[in-house]
Amino acid sequence: MGPTIRIAPSLLAADFSYLAGSVAQVAKDADWIHLDIMDGRFVPNITMGPLVVEAVRKTTDLPLDVHMMIVEPERYLEAFRLAGADSLTVHYEACPHLERVIAEIHETGALAGVALNPATRVDALADIWDELDLVLVMSVNPGFGGQAFWPHAVAKVAQAKALRGDSDRPLIQVDGGINQQTAQLMKQAGADVLVAGTAVFAADDPGLAIRQLRES
Ligand code: DX5
Ligand code: ZN
């Protein structure tokens, strides 16, 4: 049996007028629910805050994986944790004092993740590697769903896997442009968690799309 792969559908691609229904569509097949928080500053787009995370929390017992594409994420860790986040992922590029932010995430009781934009090297995390629960390798520039996959991210996943050695932590997560083909590349390179928005919620049957990503 191959290593366990987790699939985290991103609600960014779901119908926001029908969030509870969208969660229900994927609940049987998803491992985590991925929520994209954008502030119009770290990235151009604006999406959701703790209120929406809290609303989603009421619809499911699945882990809520909160991807914070915001400046000064340390100001909102507690709010997202109280809203029901199980993991809080901040961007390397948004945190001059990243080690401290990781400690603050752990103080809330959440799992701590760090996301890397395409231009940020995996090596940048080497000195705090043991403190991380999740490393999120972006395979698009963050900000929007439905973008084309950035192929160099495959090599970055392999670098993260090499840096991890024999350990099973941190989990290696990928996000952006994941579909059947790119999912396969990322799994081969060593990804543990696949985030997918469009490939899941634009499909006629989101549950089937998740099963196909898992088996790809
Ligand atoms: C992009 C977000 C992603 C997005 C992925 O900035 O972090 O989670 O929802 O969407 P797709 O799967 O459509 O590329
Ligand atoms: Zn995301």
Side-chain angles (χ1 to χ4, degrees), residues 10 12 34 36 38 67 69 138 140 142-147 175-178 195-198:
S10 163
L12 191 61
H34 183 86
D36 288 300
M38 304 187 190
H67 178 191
M69 287 160 275
M138 292 303 300
V140 295
F144 299 94
Q147 302 183 78
D175 184 5
I178 298 297
V195 176
T198 307

PDB file of all heavy atoms in Angstrom, residues 10 12 34 36 38 67 69 138 140 142-147 175-178 195-198, ligand 1:
ATOM      1  N   SER A  10     -10.665  22.919  -1.670  1.00  0.00           N
ATOM      2  CA  SER A  10     -10.672  24.339  -1.313  1.00  0.00           C
ATOM      3  C   SER A  10     -12.035  24.939  -1.613  1.00  0.00           C
ATOM      4  O   SER A  10     -12.488  24.946  -2.770  1.00  0.00           O
ATOM      5  CB  SER A  10      -9.604  25.079  -2.116  1.00  0.00           C
ATOM      6  OG  SER A  10      -9.864  26.467  -2.061  1.00  0.00           O
ATOM      7  N   LEU A  12     -12.769  27.863  -1.931  1.00  0.00           N
ATOM      8  CA  LEU A  12     -12.694  29.044  -2.797  1.00  0.00           C
ATOM      9  C   LEU A  12     -13.434  28.824  -4.111  1.00  0.00           C
ATOM     10  O   LEU A  12     -14.001  29.756  -4.679  1.00  0.00           O
ATOM     11  CB  LEU A  12     -11.221  29.373  -3.073  1.00  0.00           C
ATOM     12  CG  LEU A  12     -10.916  30.712  -3.742  1.00  0.00           C
ATOM     13  CD1 LEU A  12     -11.391  31.863  -2.868  1.00  0.00           C
ATOM     14  CD2 LEU A  12      -9.423  30.842  -4.015  1.00  0.00           C
ATOM     15  N   HIS A  34     -10.228  22.942   3.102  1.00  0.00           N
ATOM     16  CA  HIS A  34      -9.232  24.017   2.985  1.00  0.00           C
ATOM     17  C   HIS A  34      -9.957  25.353   2.784  1.00  0.00           C
ATOM     18  O   HIS A  34     -10.810  25.478   1.914  1.00  0.00           O
ATOM     19  CB  HIS A  34      -8.338  23.696   1.783  1.00  0.00           C
ATOM     20  CG  HIS A  34      -7.211  24.643   1.540  1.00  0.00           C
ATOM     21  ND1 HIS A  34      -5.989  24.521   2.170  1.00  0.00           N
ATOM     22  CD2 HIS A  34      -7.094  25.719   0.716  1.00  0.00           C
ATOM     23  CE1 HIS A  34      -5.169  25.478   1.738  1.00  0.00           C
ATOM     24  NE2 HIS A  34      -5.826  26.232   0.850  1.00  0.00           N
ATOM     25  N   ASP A  36      -9.398  29.462   2.191  1.00  0.00           N
ATOM     26  CA  ASP A  36      -8.427  30.449   1.718  1.00  0.00           C
ATOM     27  C   ASP A  36      -8.799  31.845   2.209  1.00  0.00           C
ATOM     28  O   ASP A  36      -9.792  32.420   1.768  1.00  0.00           O
ATOM     29  CB  ASP A  36      -8.380  30.416   0.185  1.00  0.00           C
ATOM     30  CG  ASP A  36      -7.702  29.163  -0.322  1.00  0.00           C
ATOM     31  OD1 ASP A  36      -6.524  28.958   0.020  1.00  0.00           O
ATOM     32  OD2 ASP A  36      -8.359  28.378  -1.041  1.00  0.00           O
ATOM     33  N   MET A  38      -7.932  35.696   2.310  1.00  0.00           N
ATOM     34  CA  MET A  38      -7.175  36.699   1.533  1.00  0.00           C
ATOM     35  C   MET A  38      -7.623  38.096   1.945  1.00  0.00           C
ATOM     36  O   MET A  38      -8.818  38.330   2.160  1.00  0.00           O
ATOM     37  CB  MET A  38      -7.428  36.499   0.033  1.00  0.00           C
ATOM     38  CG  MET A  38      -7.107  35.095  -0.460  1.00  0.00           C
ATOM     39  SD  MET A  38      -7.244  35.003  -2.267  1.00  0.00           S
ATOM     40  CE  MET A  38      -7.108  33.223  -2.508  1.00  0.00           C
ATOM     41  N   HIS A  67      -5.686  28.564   5.390  1.00  0.00           N
ATOM     42  CA  HIS A  67      -4.531  29.081   4.643  1.00  0.00           C
ATOM     43  C   HIS A  67      -4.619  30.605   4.638  1.00  0.00           C
ATOM     44  O   HIS A  67      -5.464  31.181   3.965  1.00  0.00           O
ATOM     45  CB  HIS A  67      -4.591  28.491   3.225  1.00  0.00           C
ATOM     46  CG  HIS A  67      -3.512  28.960   2.303  1.00  0.00           C
ATOM     47  ND1 HIS A  67      -3.535  28.704   0.950  1.00  0.00           N
ATOM     48  CD2 HIS A  67      -2.369  29.659   2.532  1.00  0.00           C
ATOM     49  CE1 HIS A  67      -2.461  29.233   0.376  1.00  0.00           C
ATOM     50  NE2 HIS A  67      -1.743  29.822   1.309  1.00  0.00           N
ATOM     51  N   MET A  69      -3.543  33.981   3.652  1.00  0.00           N
ATOM     52  CA  MET A  69      -2.805  34.810   2.691  1.00  0.00           C
ATOM     53  C   MET A  69      -3.032  36.265   3.066  1.00  0.00           C
ATOM     54  O   MET A  69      -3.697  37.027   2.349  1.00  0.00           O
ATOM     55  CB  MET A  69      -3.277  34.491   1.268  1.00  0.00           C
ATOM     56  CG  MET A  69      -2.779  33.142   0.779  1.00  0.00           C
ATOM     57  SD  MET A  69      -3.747  32.486  -0.598  1.00  0.00           S
ATOM     58  CE  MET A  69      -5.062  31.692   0.332  1.00  0.00           C
ATOM     59  N   MET A 138       3.380  26.190  -2.686  1.00  0.00           N
ATOM     60  CA  MET A 138       2.408  26.759  -3.633  1.00  0.00           C
ATOM     61  C   MET A 138       2.819  26.392  -5.059  1.00  0.00           C
ATOM     62  O   MET A 138       3.962  26.595  -5.460  1.00  0.00           O
ATOM     63  CB  MET A 138       2.349  28.280  -3.496  1.00  0.00           C
ATOM     64  CG  MET A 138       1.761  28.796  -2.183  1.00  0.00           C
ATOM     65  SD  MET A 138       0.087  28.226  -1.811  1.00  0.00           S
ATOM     66  CE  MET A 138      -0.838  28.852  -3.216  1.00  0.00           C
ATOM     67  N   VAL A 140       1.020  27.710  -7.570  1.00  0.00           N
ATOM     68  CA  VAL A 140       0.617  28.915  -8.320  1.00  0.00           C
ATOM     69  C   VAL A 140       1.028  30.087  -7.433  1.00  0.00           C
ATOM     70  O   VAL A 140       1.300  29.901  -6.245  1.00  0.00           O
ATOM     71  CB  VAL A 140      -0.916  29.013  -8.555  1.00  0.00           C
ATOM     72  CG1 VAL A 140      -1.422  27.881  -9.444  1.00  0.00           C
ATOM     73  CG2 VAL A 140      -1.686  29.056  -7.225  1.00  0.00           C
ATOM     74  N   PRO A 142      -0.213  32.763  -5.119  1.00  0.00           N
ATOM     75  CA  PRO A 142      -1.493  32.751  -4.425  1.00  0.00           C
ATOM     76  C   PRO A 142      -2.355  33.969  -4.779  1.00  0.00           C
ATOM     77  O   PRO A 142      -1.843  35.003  -5.187  1.00  0.00           O
ATOM     78  CB  PRO A 142      -1.093  32.785  -2.946  1.00  0.00           C
ATOM     79  CG  PRO A 142       0.276  33.362  -2.922  1.00  0.00           C
ATOM     80  CD  PRO A 142       0.922  32.934  -4.202  1.00  0.00           C
ATOM     81  N   GLY A 143      -3.645  33.807  -4.608  1.00  0.00           N
ATOM     82  CA  GLY A 143      -4.557  34.923  -4.827  1.00  0.00           C
ATOM     83  C   GLY A 143      -5.848  34.546  -5.530  1.00  0.00           C
ATOM     84  O   GLY A 143      -6.882  35.146  -5.268  1.00  0.00           O
ATOM     85  N   PHE A 144      -5.777  33.546  -6.384  1.00  0.00           N
ATOM     86  CA  PHE A 144      -6.968  33.192  -7.156  1.00  0.00           C
ATOM     87  C   PHE A 144      -7.001  31.695  -7.404  1.00  0.00           C
ATOM     88  O   PHE A 144      -5.951  31.050  -7.521  1.00  0.00           O
ATOM     89  CB  PHE A 144      -6.959  33.909  -8.514  1.00  0.00           C
ATOM     90  CG  PHE A 144      -6.958  35.411  -8.372  1.00  0.00           C
ATOM     91  CD1 PHE A 144      -5.763  36.114  -8.372  1.00  0.00           C
ATOM     92  CD2 PHE A 144      -8.151  36.106  -8.190  1.00  0.00           C
ATOM     93  CE1 PHE A 144      -5.749  37.495  -8.202  1.00  0.00           C
ATOM     94  CE2 PHE A 144      -8.149  37.482  -8.029  1.00  0.00           C
ATOM     95  CZ  PHE A 144      -6.946  38.184  -8.029  1.00  0.00           C
ATOM     96  N   GLY A 145      -8.216  31.156  -7.509  1.00  0.00           N
ATOM     97  CA  GLY A 145      -8.370  29.774  -7.940  1.00  0.00           C
ATOM     98  C   GLY A 145      -8.288  29.697  -9.455  1.00  0.00           C
ATOM     99  O   GLY A 145      -8.308  30.723 -10.156  1.00  0.00           O
ATOM    100  N   GLY A 146      -8.172  28.491  -9.965  1.00  0.00           N
ATOM    101  CA  GLY A 146      -8.262  28.265 -11.404  1.00  0.00           C
ATOM    102  C   GLY A 146      -7.045  28.663 -12.209  1.00  0.00           C
ATOM    103  O   GLY A 146      -7.128  28.785 -13.436  1.00  0.00           O
ATOM    104  N   GLN A 147      -5.895  28.872 -11.573  1.00  0.00           N
ATOM    105  CA  GLN A 147      -4.696  29.245 -12.314  1.00  0.00           C
ATOM    106  C   GLN A 147      -3.940  27.999 -12.805  1.00  0.00           C
ATOM    107  O   GLN A 147      -4.109  26.902 -12.278  1.00  0.00           O
ATOM    108  CB  GLN A 147      -3.753  30.058 -11.426  1.00  0.00           C
ATOM    109  CG  GLN A 147      -4.347  31.327 -10.851  1.00  0.00           C
ATOM    110  CD  GLN A 147      -3.292  32.086 -10.050  1.00  0.00           C
ATOM    111  OE1 GLN A 147      -2.431  32.759 -10.607  1.00  0.00           O
ATOM    112  NE2 GLN A 147      -3.368  31.972  -8.722  1.00  0.00           N
ATOM    113  N   ASP A 175      -0.690  23.179  -3.309  1.00  0.00           N
ATOM    114  CA  ASP A 175      -1.903  23.992  -3.506  1.00  0.00           C
ATOM    115  C   ASP A 175      -1.747  24.830  -4.769  1.00  0.00           C
ATOM    116  O   ASP A 175      -0.817  25.630  -4.876  1.00  0.00           O
ATOM    117  CB  ASP A 175      -2.072  24.891  -2.274  1.00  0.00           C
ATOM    118  CG  ASP A 175      -3.346  25.723  -2.294  1.00  0.00           C
ATOM    119  OD1 ASP A 175      -4.166  25.557  -3.213  1.00  0.00           O
ATOM    120  OD2 ASP A 175      -3.502  26.538  -1.366  1.00  0.00           O
ATOM    121  N   GLY A 176      -2.693  24.644  -5.698  1.00  0.00           N
ATOM    122  CA  GLY A 176      -2.734  25.460  -6.912  1.00  0.00           C
ATOM    123  C   GLY A 176      -2.607  24.619  -8.166  1.00  0.00           C
ATOM    124  O   GLY A 176      -1.607  23.935  -8.367  1.00  0.00           O
ATOM    125  N   GLY A 177      -3.649  24.645  -8.990  1.00  0.00           N
ATOM    126  CA  GLY A 177      -3.593  23.938 -10.268  1.00  0.00           C
ATOM    127  C   GLY A 177      -3.527  22.429 -10.147  1.00  0.00           C
ATOM    128  O   GLY A 177      -3.019  21.756 -11.050  1.00  0.00           O
ATOM    129  N   ILE A 178      -4.038  21.897  -9.054  1.00  0.00           N
ATOM    130  CA  ILE A 178      -4.008  20.431  -8.882  1.00  0.00           C
ATOM    131  C   ILE A 178      -5.191  19.800  -9.612  1.00  0.00           C
ATOM    132  O   ILE A 178      -6.352  20.153  -9.368  1.00  0.00           O
ATOM    133  CB  ILE A 178      -4.006  20.047  -7.379  1.00  0.00           C
ATOM    134  CG1 ILE A 178      -2.760  20.584  -6.668  1.00  0.00           C
ATOM    135  CG2 ILE A 178      -4.123  18.522  -7.220  1.00  0.00           C
ATOM    136  CD1 ILE A 178      -1.428  20.032  -7.175  1.00  0.00           C
ATOM    137  N   VAL A 195      -4.310  20.008  -2.104  1.00  0.00           N
ATOM    138  CA  VAL A 195      -5.421  20.965  -2.067  1.00  0.00           C
ATOM    139  C   VAL A 195      -5.941  21.102  -3.492  1.00  0.00           C
ATOM    140  O   VAL A 195      -5.145  21.243  -4.428  1.00  0.00           O
ATOM    141  CB  VAL A 195      -4.949  22.346  -1.552  1.00  0.00           C
ATOM    142  CG1 VAL A 195      -6.096  23.359  -1.620  1.00  0.00           C
ATOM    143  CG2 VAL A 195      -4.402  22.221  -0.140  1.00  0.00           C
ATOM    144  N   ALA A 196      -7.242  21.071  -3.667  1.00  0.00           N
ATOM    145  CA  ALA A 196      -7.802  21.252  -5.012  1.00  0.00           C
ATOM    146  C   ALA A 196      -9.120  22.004  -4.918  1.00  0.00           C
ATOM    147  O   ALA A 196     -10.006  21.623  -4.147  1.00  0.00           O
ATOM    148  CB  ALA A 196      -8.013  19.907  -5.688  1.00  0.00           C
ATOM    149  N   GLY A 197      -9.217  23.067  -5.676  1.00  0.00           N
ATOM    150  CA  GLY A 197     -10.444  23.862  -5.714  1.00  0.00           C
ATOM    151  C   GLY A 197     -11.252  23.557  -6.953  1.00  0.00           C
ATOM    152  O   GLY A 197     -12.246  22.820  -6.919  1.00  0.00           O
ATOM    153  N   THR A 198     -10.785  24.089  -8.081  1.00  0.00           N
ATOM    154  CA  THR A 198     -11.507  23.938  -9.343  1.00  0.00           C
ATOM    155  C   THR A 198     -11.732  22.471  -9.704  1.00  0.00           C
ATOM    156  O   THR A 198     -12.831  22.097 -10.133  1.00  0.00           O
ATOM    157  CB  THR A 198     -10.704  24.630 -10.471  1.00  0.00           C
ATOM    158  OG1 THR A 198     -10.421  25.972 -10.056  1.00  0.00           O
ATOM    159  CG2 THR A 198     -11.488  24.660 -11.767  1.00  0.00           C
TER     160      THR A 198
HETATM  161  C1  DX5 B   1      -4.881  30.008  -4.309  1.00  0.00           C
HETATM  162  C2  DX5 B   1      -5.446  29.226  -3.156  1.00  0.00           C
HETATM  163  C3  DX5 B   1      -5.856  27.865  -3.521  1.00  0.00           C
HETATM  164  C4  DX5 B   1      -6.950  27.794  -4.558  1.00  0.00           C
HETATM  165  C5  DX5 B   1      -6.624  26.626  -5.419  1.00  0.00           C
HETATM  166  O1  DX5 B   1      -4.264  31.160  -3.866  1.00  0.00           O
HETATM  167  O2  DX5 B   1      -4.495  29.114  -2.107  1.00  0.00           O
HETATM  168  O3  DX5 B   1      -6.213  27.088  -2.378  1.00  0.00           O
HETATM  169  O4  DX5 B   1      -8.230  27.625  -4.047  1.00  0.00           O
HETATM  170  O5  DX5 B   1      -7.516  26.612  -6.472  1.00  0.00           O
HETATM  171  P1  DX5 B   1      -7.282  25.685  -7.749  1.00  0.00           P
HETATM  172  O6  DX5 B   1      -7.288  24.262  -7.253  1.00  0.00           O
HETATM  173  O7  DX5 B   1      -8.441  26.015  -8.603  1.00  0.00           O
HETATM  174  O8  DX5 B   1      -5.957  26.069  -8.354  1.00  0.00           O
END
